[in-house]
DNA sequence: CTGAAAGCGCTAACAA
DNA sequence: TTGTTAGCGCTTTCAG
């Protein structure tokens, strides 16, 4: 182990080490102006004589000056930091949300701070509350906490929510309907008339929504829907649903998410069931790796990355009082047809 | 689209809205003490009369007081924020590093700020430099920038690096050797005497290291190693290497990373080659989804999560001048044998 | 054990 | 256009 870790104390070059605590006072002195002039020159170009400004910028450059965000935050009350709260970093659906949110934040010159709650709603609220003090706004991704808690946070600072609908709070949710309609149509087109559904955690807003919309759509399409017992939204959860799926007599199954679908496929295949010859499988989300399976998973893709991006952009719009248009953002879920679906068995 | 987004302005409850700007002055007034006493009571319990302390805590509670991290950072110079720089959020190997780093940071009461450089070394340095001002320390995950740039950052604030060795900078790297030895032994045990290697980006420190160590080990084991052309460390890159692999005459192939291995398998299988009957495939990293393939991928697991965790813990040890022991951290790479390897073909 | 006062680095009136 | 001044919320001497 010791060999794996190389440790060294950098030689302390005073010149550079000092660069860390260069203040506008230093810059001001070098440029021969007042500190407040430095502040102006650097922050609102134009409000200062062009040549002095140049002189100041030069001085800042040679001194390797960088503002101290904390010091700036104090008088202004703005930190240029936005928060992102995810309930479980372990969950691959958040990867894309994080990506999107990070992209939008960076695009607007904001720094992203990240926290996770390890699936505990209490911890989630507490950490969000702590984080709130240092951010200009906060994005909640598929939060676990109660509507009341979210509303309480939203009263203090701008808050947005992705993947859940909360009254009076900026909520960005995908158009689940669209992908479900496509999936049902797809399966019906393949001759499936009885399909099973493996639901996710009943307490999750999104899980309920997917279940309800699917039930609705199947009824509308005159397709028999067998809703099985809820399972954990994991590969293991999916495996545990395999017998129920097989016994359901359905020729196709839709899972609450890809993880469940993948576990299901694994277990089914190991039991000698062929996919899609015997049973077609459809997932939800299109997480990273959904196409690694064989057959690759047909799934209802959720616009996770776009949702994260758009939600963050909208949040920052609130923060900076800027209008953010939804143009260029498509939050529709869409069916991605791969190999795990095929003609109905009988 | 408009339907997807629910927008509402929360009712402004002054009572709670105010809670955001509760200061120690408010608490002091309510508790009938001096602000400095509040500060003491809250920060160093014991240095204040037990009953006054209780009174102060009670006041803070009723007022819903939370410290302002910015205001605290100014006099102390410490922000309780640590930075994490990743070169590409898109790359699944970083997921685990982020997880580990986040866990370690949270464990120590630090908040994590995240930034990515989109694979650009210039942007990476610039963003790191910007971030440096607001953090107490910074972790660089598989950085793209030069040793000089890293050293320059390390002169200003505590810096640690994961997955790369930089002189005089706290570097945490996995024990690549171990897993490679296991893999070579595993393949030799299966009768493979000629194996191919698909290298990653030649400029990457880790890519070079893996290549060198593998070559060394194969020579040591009297196994013929055919090093093919470098490819992009992606699924597409892997697919593009398929013909070269087939033509190499090797009965087994090791890829620089799992993404390449997965792409390779996909392309190989589509060409009618059976895995592992015709060719055995070994990946590197054990990323999320490596076991979704069929056959599931045999791979040299890199302790990504542990590495992120340990590196962050070690960094924070530096920051707080605390000794951090490496106990409980195992940074060895290990072979995870799954289905993609089997007895040599001929 | 607690109060008074100075100051962290920056911004934002207000003057000049 | 630029300088002066006060203060953001907190910590930390220094007195008492």
């Amino acid at each position: 182990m010791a060999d794996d870790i190389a440790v060294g104390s950098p030689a302390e070059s005073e010149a550079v080490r000092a660069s860390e605590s260069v203040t506008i006072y230093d810059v001001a002195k070098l440029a021969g102006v007042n500190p407040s002039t430095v502040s102006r020159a650097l922050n609102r170009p134009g409000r200062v004589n062009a040549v002095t400004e140049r002189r100041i910028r030069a001085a800042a450059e040679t001194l390797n000056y960088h503002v101290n965000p904390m010091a700036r935050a104090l008088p202004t009350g703005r930190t240029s930091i936005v928060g992102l709260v995810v309930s479980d970093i372990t969950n691959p659906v958040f990867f894309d949300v994080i990506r999107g949110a990070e992209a939008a934040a960076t695009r607007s010159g904001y720094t992203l701070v990240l926290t996770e709650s390890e699936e505990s709603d209490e911890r989630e609220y507490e950490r969000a509350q702590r984080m709130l003090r240092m951010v200009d706004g906060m994005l909640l991704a598929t939060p676990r906490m109660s509507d009341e808690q979210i509303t309480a946070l939203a009263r203090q600072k701008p808050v947005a929510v992705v993947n859940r609908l909360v009254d009076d709070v900026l909520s960005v949710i995908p158009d689940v309907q669209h992908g479900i309609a496509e999936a049902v149509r797809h399966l019906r087109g393949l001759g499936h008339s009885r399909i099973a559904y493996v639901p996710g955690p009943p307490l999750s807003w999104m899980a309920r929504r997917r279940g309800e919309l699917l039930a609705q759509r199947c009824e509308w399409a005159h397709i028999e829907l067998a809703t099985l017992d809820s399972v954990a939204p994991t590969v293991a959860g999916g495996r545990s649903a395999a017998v129920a799926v097989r016994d359901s007599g359905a020729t196709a199954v839709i899972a609450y998410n890809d993880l469940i679908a993948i576990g299901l496929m694994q277990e089914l295949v190991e039991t000698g069931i062929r996919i899609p010859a015997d049973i077609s499988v459809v997932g939800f989300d299109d997480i990273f790796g959904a196409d690694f399976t064989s057959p690759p998973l047909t799934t209802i893709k959720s616009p996770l990355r776009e949702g994260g991006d758009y939600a963050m952009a909208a949040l920052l719009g609130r923060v900076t009082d800027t209008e953010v248009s939804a143009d260029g953002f498509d939050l529709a879920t869409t069916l991605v047809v791969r190999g795990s679906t095929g003609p109905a068995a009988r």
Side-chain angles (χ1 to χ4, degrees), chain A:
Chain A
M1 259 299 303
D3 285 359
D4 302 339
I5 296 145
V7 170
S9 334
E12 295 277 334
S13 154
E14 261 322 310
V16 184
R17 162 64 86 173
S19 89
E20 198 233 313
S21 40
V22 175
T23 75
I24 51 173
Y25 287 85
D26 303 316
V27 178
K29 197 178 299 173
L30 182 60
V33 296
N34 189 281
S36 63
T37 307
V38 175
S39 175
R40 273 181 230 129
L42 265 26
N43 294 312
R44 52 206 79 198
R47 301 228 342 146
V48 119
N49 182 297
V51 16
T52 3
E53 180 178 334
R54 203 154 18 212
R55 193 148 37 91
I56 291 171
R57 288 196 181 282
E61 185 76 24
T62 55
L63 257 33
N64 190 226
Y65 168 80
H66 292 270
V67 298
N68 179 330
M70 311 301 151
R72 167 180 289 172
L74 214 35
T76 60
R78 338 200 83 201
T79 61
S80 290
I81 301 178
V82 272
L84 174 59
V85 179
V86 301
S87 51
D88 174 19
I89 281 205
T90 267
N91 189 328
V93 304
F94 289 121
F95 297 161
D96 284 306
V97 177
I98 295 176
R99 279 180 203 168
E102 206 274 345
T106 301
R107 217 166 46 225
S108 300
Y110 274 74
T111 303
L112 187 77
V113 320
L114 183 69
T115 192
E116 82 146 334
S117 54
E118 303 159 40
E119 295 285 1
S120 148
D121 52 341
E122 257 178 64
R123 230 188 323 259
E124 190 173 86
Y125 180 68
E126 184 215 304
R127 290 190 185 165
Q129 180 70 59
R130 259 197 58 198
M131 174 186 267
L132 203 59
R133 299 269 1 204
M134 74 168 79
V135 300
D136 290 344
M138 196 165 61
L139 181 57
L140 272 24
T142 322
R144 287 274 179 282
M145 51 187 148
S146 70
D147 280 21
E148 290 68 39
Q149 290 174 309
I150 294 173
T151 309
L153 294 172
R155 267 198 292 270
Q156 305 174 240
K157 288 259 178 80
V159 165
V161 180
V162 218
N163 267 342
R164 175 164 153 186
L165 198 59
V166 180
D167 280 350
D168 295 330
V169 176
L170 177 58
S171 305
V172 174
I173 55 173
D175 169 15
V176 179
Q177 179 81 49
H178 188 268
I180 286 184
E182 285 189 336
V184 171
R185 192 180 324 130
H186 171 66
L187 291 177
R188 195 172 51 173
L190 289 169
H192 298 272
S193 57
R194 175 177 170 80
I195 74 188
Y197 176 61
V198 183
L203 285 114
S204 150
W205 184 89
M206 186 52 88
R208 286 197 310 268
R209 183 167 177 85
R210 287 180 180 176
E212 286 161 10
L213 257 26
L214 178 63
Q216 228 171 273
R217 191 65 192 188
C218 283
E219 192 176 335
W220 181 89
H222 301 299
I223 284 201
E224 217 180 319
L225 182 73
T227 298
L228 310 181
D229 287 342
S230 294
V231 299
T234 60
V235 172
R239 296 191 95 111
S240 73
V243 280
V245 167
R246 207 193 41 204
D247 294 350
S248 72
T251 55
V253 53
I254 298 184
Y256 162 64
N257 72 7
D258 288 341
L259 255 16
I260 294 177
I262 289 168
L264 200 50
M265 279 179 59
Q266 291 179 346
E267 189 74 20
L268 253 21
V269 166
E270 286 171 19
T271 329
I273 291 174
R274 293 159 309 160
I275 295 169
D278 299 323
I279 294 184
S280 287
V281 177
V282 177
F284 225 122
D285 285 334
D286 195 25
I287 59 171
F288 175 85
D291 55 340
F292 291 174
T293 59
S294 65
L297 186 65
T298 293
T299 186
I300 299 167
K301 180 186 179 73
S302 196
L304 267 3
R305 195 200 154 117
E306 301 220 306
D309 191 319
Y310 177 66
M312 182 57 83
L315 173 65
L316 291 178
R318 281 265 171 115
V319 168
T320 59
D321 243 321
T322 309
E323 208 49 60
V324 172
S325 96
D327 292 0
F329 290 99
D330 184 2
L331 262 33
T333 56
T334 51
L335 184 70
V336 177
V337 177
R338 291 199 268 248
S340 66
T341 45
R346 49 205 119 182

